[in-house]
Structures are given as C-alpha cells and as structure tokens.
Amino acid sequence: KAGVTQTPRYLIKTRGQQVTLSCSPISGHRSVSWYQQTPGQGLQFLFEYFSETQRNKGNFPGRFSGRQFSNSRSEMNVSTLELGDSALYLCASSFLAESYNEQFFGPGTRLTVL
Amino acid sequence: AQTVTQSQPEMSVQEAETVTLSCTYDTSESDYYLFWYKQPPSRQMILVIRQEAYKQQNATENRFSVNFQKAAKSFSLKISDSQLGDAAMYFCAYSGNQFYFGTGTSLTVIP
C-alpha cells in the first residue's frame, strides 16, 4: 500500500505570495491532519479534516486554510506569506478520526520564504 | 489546554546501552492516548509505541518500552540495546481531541 505523499517536496517563495501544498493520504484513510514543524517548536497542529469536514483547527492565523476533497486528498493554502512561515509542513493520515488511531506521516514539504 | 514537554533537547547513548527519553504532559481529560514517534534524518516520521491512558500496564515493542505514570503525567521511552539505526529525533505526542507534540529529543548513538 502506498504511503502518504506530499507535493511539492520543496518550495521557495517570496514574502507576500501565496502557496498551495497537496497531500494524498494512504488509500482508505479518511482523516488528514496538517502540521508545521520548525526547529525548537516541534510540530504545531494546523488542522484536521475528516470526510471533507474540518474537525479541528490549531492556533494559526486565518492566512492558513485547508480543504479536503471527496477522494480524501487534502490541500493547504497559505496566503500573504511571511518569513516566519518557513518550515517543514507535514501531512498525516489515519483511517478514522478517533484519538487512538496511529497517524501515518508523509515526507513533508519544505517551504522557504525569502 | 493540553501541553507536552520534552525537557531533553539532545541525548546520546553508546551502542548496545540503554537510554531513557523523558516526556511530561498536562491535561484535564481522563481518556487519551500517548505516542512516541521517531523521525530519522531526512526520513518520514514513524510510530514507535502507543499507550492507552486507561491501561496501567506499560506498553512494550521489542527494544522499546515506556514508563507511564498517569498520576504524575509522565510518559518516558526506554530504548534497550541501542543500535545505530535508533539515531533520530523522537517526539512524544498526546492525543485527546487532537494531537499535541512535544518539541522533540535528538538522540545520537555513539558506535
């Protein structure tokens, strides 16, 4: 079974631009979560989608948004990029949304904002 | 709000020795799950071990075991017979209504 895939793997943008990241979960998984990983901050939860509905949202500004499609693929969008948005963005999928479910992580998208 | 604290940013261990990584958490929930994830350099994060809060018995997975102290809200990971492939960033995570991760502990294994 193919793992979680994320595209693109690397991205360089300039301040003020917007960016869209994509995540394809493991086949059959309906829950997709997004995290921002920065040195010293660990993983910060962005949001979680289940069956096209946002179930949870972390403490991030409205510039960060996401959506999930009927095939469970998810996208996250960051508008008006700031230097501080430079990070590794990780997507994780799980079969169900229950808290005991193991999350399977993708390789991440490395975003650099210049 | 739930928080997860890993107080050891870096740890090192001699190959074949045992090392313990610390994790504490804060929560008012009674039903939750705890996880340790491993992120090798330039590789994907994978689950190491999972503990259900309602179970008193500590989880074990081969060379990996946890010491779960619910009253103290402590969840440490013990790695026995450390191998070079254990070198990675280790994240402690709490799952209740959502996942919360600690800041990670970078483990170096010395040959």
Side-chain angles (χ1 to χ4, degrees), chain A residues 4 9 35 37 40-43 45 48 55-58 88 90 98-107, chain B residues 31-33 35 37 39 42-47 50 52 89 91 95-104:
Chain A
V4 178
R9 293 292 310 278
Y35 297 88
Q37 184 179 10
Q41 292 291 317
L43 279 76
F45 172 75
E48 177 197 359
R55 288 186 72 242
N56 276 307
K57 189 177 190 307
L88 180 67
L90 293 171
E98 276 71 17
S99 57
Y100 59 79
N101 269 244
E102 174 185 355
Q103 296 202 327
F104 293 82
F105 284 82
Chain B
D31 188 20
Y32 52 88
Y33 294 80
F35 303 79
Y37 280 86
Q39 187 178 42
S42 302
R43 294 183 65 184
Q44 292 173 226
M45 186 113 63
I46 56 172
L47 177 67
R50 168 173 46 201
E52 295 91 339
M89 183 72 82
F91 290 96
S95 178
N97 62 333
Q98 70 182 49
F99 262 82
Y100 296 89
F101 284 82
T103 51

Side-chain angles (χ1 to χ4, degrees), chain A residues 63-105:
Chain A
R63 301 185 296 107
F64 292 81
S65 63
R67 59 177 174 170
Q68 186 180 32
F69 302 95
S70 58
N71 61 358
S72 293
R73 189 178 71 85
S74 178
E75 288 183 345
M76 98 166 233
N77 184 274
V78 188
S79 62
T80 320
L81 284 166
E82 300 178 359
L83 295 179
D85 296 334
S86 294
L88 180 67
Y89 289 88
L90 293 171
C91 164
S93 76
S94 59
F95 180 61
L96 296 173
E98 276 71 17
S99 57
Y100 59 79
N101 269 244
E102 174 185 355
Q103 296 202 327
F104 293 82
F105 284 82

